[in-house]
Structures are given as C-alpha cells and as structure tokens.
Amino acid sequence: MIDHLPVLLVVVPIVGAAVPLVASLYTDRAGWPIAAVTMLGHAALAGLLVREVWTGGVVSYAVGGFALPYGIELAVDGLSVAVVALVSAVSLGVLAYARRAGPHENTFYSQFLLLVTGLTGMTVTGDVFNLYVFLEITGLAAYGLVASGREASAAVAALKYLILGTVGASLYLLGVGYALAATGTLNMADMSAKLAAYGYDSTLVLTAFGLMVGGLAVKVALFPLHTWQPDAYANSPDSVSAFISALVSTVSAYALARLLFSVFTVEFLTAVPAARWALLAVASVSIVAGSALAVSQSSVQRMLAYSSVSQFGLVIAGFAVGTPIAVVGATVHLVGHAVMKGGLFAASGIIERETGATTIGGYAGMGTRTPLAAGAFTVLALGMVGIPPAIGFVGKWYILVGAVEAELWPVVAVLLLSTLLTLAYFARLGERLYFAEPTIREEGAVADGGAESASDSQPDRGVSTGMLAVVVVAAVLAVALTAAVPALEQLLTETLPPLLQ
C-alpha cells in the first residue's frame, strides 16, 4: 500500500464522493458521517505519505504502470506533501464546523469530497495536463459549493466564479498546448529538460509561460484577476467560505509554484529576467491593491476576501524572488495563511450566528458578547499582521530576508508597506471588538445604520462546541506551527536540491 499512497489519496475521496449520492435513495442526512469516515482515511494516508517522504525522499508513482514520461506520473516531494497534509487537516476541521453549521444535504458532502479530490490531485500530479484536469474538478466542485447558499446572491457569485474560473482554466490549457508543441511531452520533469534545450527565450516557450501563469493567476485571485473572490467568499455559507478561503487559492498558488520550479525552473527566471519582474510586479500590485481594498470595506467577510488578494500576492512574490530562504518563507506563509484565513472565516461565521454582526460597525462590543470566537479571531488577525511568535511573522520574515539577499529593494518596500496596511484594517476591527460601544442590542435589533439584524443574517444561528473548538484550534496552530518551520525547511532542502542547495 505504501507504494500506492499518492494514487490512493486521490481515489479515496472520489469514491467517497459517490457514496452520499447513493445514500440519498434512503436518507438525505448520511453525507456528514460518510465524509467524516472518508476524510479520516485520507488523513491517515496523508500521514503515512509524510513519513515516507521524510524518511525516503521523493515518492513517484506511474499511474497504470505506463512507462514515464509517456504515462501519468504522480510525484510527491517536501513541498507537495506539506500541501497534502494541509488539505487533509483543514478539510477535517471544516467537517467538524459543518456538523452543526451545515449545509446538511448529501449533495453538499459529495461536492465537498469532490473538491478534496481535485485539490489533492493538483498537489500530487507530475503532469501538466493532469494538473488541468484536477484544476477543472476543483473549480466545478467549488462553484457548486458557493451556489449552495440560501440566497440568490450565492448563485450570482457562483456564476461569476464559473465564468472567470473557466477563463483561467482555458488560458492554462492553451499554455499547455504551446508547451507541448515545444517539447512533445506533458510530464513535468521531462518538459523541464526539453524546455531548456528548446531555448528559454523562444517565442513559443515565453507564450506558454505567460498563458499558464496567467491562467493560474486567475485561480489564485491576484489583482486585477481577483474579482470573483470577494463575492464567492461573502455570499457562500460560512462553512464553505472557511473551506474555499483556506484551500482553493492556496493549492492554486502551490500549482503556480510547481510550474515555476518543476517545469520552467529558476534558470528560466534568471535567463528571462522580464518574466521574473513581470511576476514580481503583478504580485506587488496585488499586495498593495488587496490591502487598500480591504481597508475600505465595511463588510467583514469582504475585508477578509480582499486580504487574501494581498496575502497571495505576498506568497507569489516569495516564489518569484526564487532564493532558498524566500521559497521557504513563501511555503510557510502559504500553509500559515490557509490555517489563519480559514479560522478567521469560521470565527466570523460564529460571531454572525451569535450576534447577527457582519459589518465592522456591527462588531462593536462583540468581544464581550462572544469572547471565545472574538478572542480566536483576534489571535488569528495578529498572526495575519505578522506579530511574533505567530506563523505569519516567520513566513513574512523569510520572504523579506530573501528579497534583501536578492537586492530586490522595490519588493522589500512593498513587503514592509503590506504589513502596515494589514495592521490598519485588522487594528480597526480589533478596536471595534473590544473598545467600542455595542451597536447591536442583545436581542439582535438594529441600533444604528451601520448594524444589521441578527434574525436576517442566518436562518440557523446555532453554535456548537465543535464549531468553537475549530476556531480555537486554528488560533493555537497559528502560533504552534512556528515550531514546525525548521522541520519544513529541512524537508524542502532535502527533496528540492536543485532549488534549495
């Protein structure tokens, strides 16, 4: 079974996704236990894979036994195994949250497991076309989950997400076609060697790079390709917001990094400095624009969504810098952001359920009304700012040091500015939570124009111990994961030697 771990990680959730549909013939409430059992199996397999990569290095699997590079390869190294573990852990956390929060229909959990399938496949594949297939599976499942909201705005947000997501996937696929024309292969490792032989400065290779990176930039939601994200995050159910905000753009950013390092390589970025600077420019604009838009929001969830635009700009900037310490920092921030942002959306969902507050004005005085959720929210927000000893500080510090080593001073200035802007919008929210007079009365009636009624915001306002436990664990992990950074750095160094040695 050890030899088949990469493919089992994909097969288990896709088989699990079919079971709730069959169970619907008998009951519409079998989805959660089926999803829970499936994800526990997925987590066990992910744990075994982490151990295998840690002790034995890169794990490679030829699907169907077809000889490489003609067959489809699944390849897992230190970078991909960290993301696999992240997908499994976050999915279990969201399941614990959704046990009470819902949605409760079997179809929801089928889409949930289908999304896990797509995310896992994107992470373990070593084939650029296979990456497209899993990218589409991820997109289709995410569109359906966003549309599972009760209001019409959720359907509109899902349609917008569908249109822009399809454009992004199509651009990526077109880029794959150009790369195939240049190299005659779809295997990442084989394509990397043949791209170097073909010539990095050729029009065909540059076009392939631009289209593939551009398509993934839509999925990551870099500015100005981010317009699907705020509506999708703000209008979907709170469990869905926590899920997709933590993982969908995260795994897309991983895919972009995999494209940079396993297909085009750092040598391409060195040989074609315009490509590096273009990527750094897009990432830097995303950092500043995302933060500026977050500062201007009145809705908490839209503020968090625009914050993601900024934070993923930071991650992509770290990968584009390309020095060992910057790449480690980008990976650390990628993992840390998933935990922190998923926890923030879950905490905001709890606050909304308990008080009806969804705006920054409505959060006034809610720190005493919902002390556990508000406390977790505050810890996670400080981690996003980069206050030590949170994981957010370590990731940003590594990226900053990498940019200084590379003497990319404009990037250094943007990174410092982003921290100040992040502090600006989260400090404003913290001040409202703990130091402002409540604008929403205990029974949820509207007290001023900036607050909203609790009864209108969420039909099911129940909050379970499991939901509270999820946000508390996320807050604890935002600090505790700092201790795991040396191990992650060692894992990356040992399994990505061309990049990090």
Side-chain angles (χ1 to χ4, degrees):
M1 187 183 74
I2 296 296
D3 294 337
H4 294 77
L5 281 175
V7 73
L8 286 173
L9 277 165
V10 179
V11 170
V12 166
I14 201 169
V15 171
V19 178
L21 298 179
V22 177
S24 295
L25 297 173
Y26 306 98
T27 175
D28 198 36
R29 289 294 185 268
W32 190 88
I34 292 170
V37 170
T38 302
M39 286 313 305
L40 286 172
H42 189 276
L45 293 171
L48 290 172
L49 189 59
V50 169
R51 186 187 67 179
E52 188 69 13
V53 174
W54 181 266
T55 57
V58 178
V59 175
S60 178
Y61 180 87
V63 177
F66 292 100
L68 302 177
Y70 303 105
I72 297 174
E73 181 185 20
L74 304 181
V76 184
D77 55 20
L79 178 59
S80 49
V81 81
V83 179
V84 166
L86 176 70
V87 169
S88 199
V90 170
S91 299
L92 280 172
V94 173
L95 272 180
Y97 187 93
R99 180 69 179 90
R100 174 61 187 271
H104 303 290
E105 295 81 9
N106 288 353
T107 52
F108 170 80
Y109 291 102
S110 286
Q111 292 176 92
F112 181 97
L113 292 173
L114 193 62
L115 182 54
V116 172
T117 301
L119 295 170
T120 304
M122 286 176 64
T123 306
V124 302
T125 187
D127 181 282
V128 291
F129 181 77
N130 199 228
L131 175 59
Y132 165 75
V133 172
F134 285 116
L135 189 69
E136 285 288 70
I137 292 173
T138 297
L140 291 172
Y143 310 148
L145 289 175
V146 171
S148 64
R150 297 174 183 268
E151 299 178 358
S153 58
V156 174
L159 178 61
K160 187 175 183 180
Y161 188 5
L162 167 65
I163 293 171
L164 292 174
T166 301
V167 170
S170 299
L171 288 174
Y172 174 81
L173 181 60
L174 188 58
V176 169
Y178 277 97
L180 176 63
T183 62
T185 184
L186 295 170
N187 181 271
M188 289 183 180
D190 194 37
M191 180 177 285
S192 178
K194 292 182 177 179
L195 283 173
Y198 193 86
Y200 289 139
D201 58 349
S202 71
T203 302
L204 202 56
V205 173
L206 293 175
T207 303
F209 176 82
L211 289 170
M212 294 171 80
V213 169
L216 290 175
V218 175
K219 297 291 189 176
V220 177
L222 295 179
F223 186 91
L225 307 172
H226 69 288
T227 52
W228 62 267
Q229 191 178 69
D231 290 338
Y233 287 7
N235 293 300
S236 55
D238 46 357
S239 51
V240 174
S241 297
F243 193 31
I244 64 175
S245 67
L247 292 180
V248 172
S249 290
T250 297
V251 176
S252 297
Y254 158 82
L256 201 158
R258 179 59 65 194
L259 196 68
L260 289 177
F261 302 135
S262 294
V263 179
F264 289 93
T265 74
V266 175
E267 286 73 19
F268 170 83
L269 297 178
T270 303
V272 188
R276 184 197 298 270
W277 279 109
L279 196 54
L280 284 171
V282 171
S284 298
V285 170
S286 191
I287 291 170
V288 176
S291 295
L293 289 167
V295 170
S296 66
Q297 298 304 305
S298 60
S299 165
V300 172
Q301 289 192 327
R302 292 184 73 86
M303 183 201 77
L304 294 175
Y306 283 115
S307 170
S308 291
V309 175
S310 174
Q311 297 301 319
F312 281 113
L314 185 66
V315 169
I316 299 305
F319 286 133
V321 168
T323 63
I325 193 169
V327 172
V328 172
T331 305
V332 169
H333 199 62
L334 190 71
V335 174
H337 175 269
V339 173
M340 293 185 290
K341 189 54 63 70
L344 284 167
F345 270 99
S348 70
I350 291 174
I351 293 172
E352 179 182 353
R353 286 168 177 270
E354 292 192 330
T355 70
T358 61
T359 65
I360 294 173
Y363 267 41
M366 294 301 108
T368 56
R369 189 86 55 87
T370 59
L372 205 57
F377 189 99
T378 303
V379 172
L380 292 164
L382 292 174
M384 291 293 297
V385 173
I387 305 297
I391 189 72
F393 167 77
V394 180
K396 290 183 178 182
W397 178 255
Y398 274 40
I399 296 170
L400 183 65
V401 171
V404 170
E405 287 181 350
E407 298 184 354
L408 297 171
W409 305 116
V411 177
V412 172
V414 168
L415 294 177
L416 294 174
L417 177 62
S418 74
T419 299
L420 295 176
L421 290 171
T422 305
L423 177 62
Y425 56 79
F426 277 123
R428 180 176 59 145
L429 197 53
E431 184 273 334
R432 301 296 294 173
L433 274 172
Y434 293 103
F435 301 106
E437 290 295 323
T439 58
I440 297 179
R441 294 196 295 272
E442 192 75 34
E443 65 273 15
V446 176
D448 68 14
E452 57 285 301
S453 170
S455 62
D456 294 335
S457 60
Q458 188 65 253
D460 178 12
R461 298 177 60 221
V463 174
S464 67
T465 302
M467 293 168 66
L468 291 170
V470 167
V471 298
V472 171
V473 169
V476 171
L477 285 176
V479 177
L481 281 175
T482 302
V485 171
L488 178 59
E489 184 174 1
Q490 179 183 348
L491 192 61
L492 292 173
T493 302
E494 291 178 351
T495 59
L496 296 173
L499 173 64
L500 298 178
Q501 288 185 356

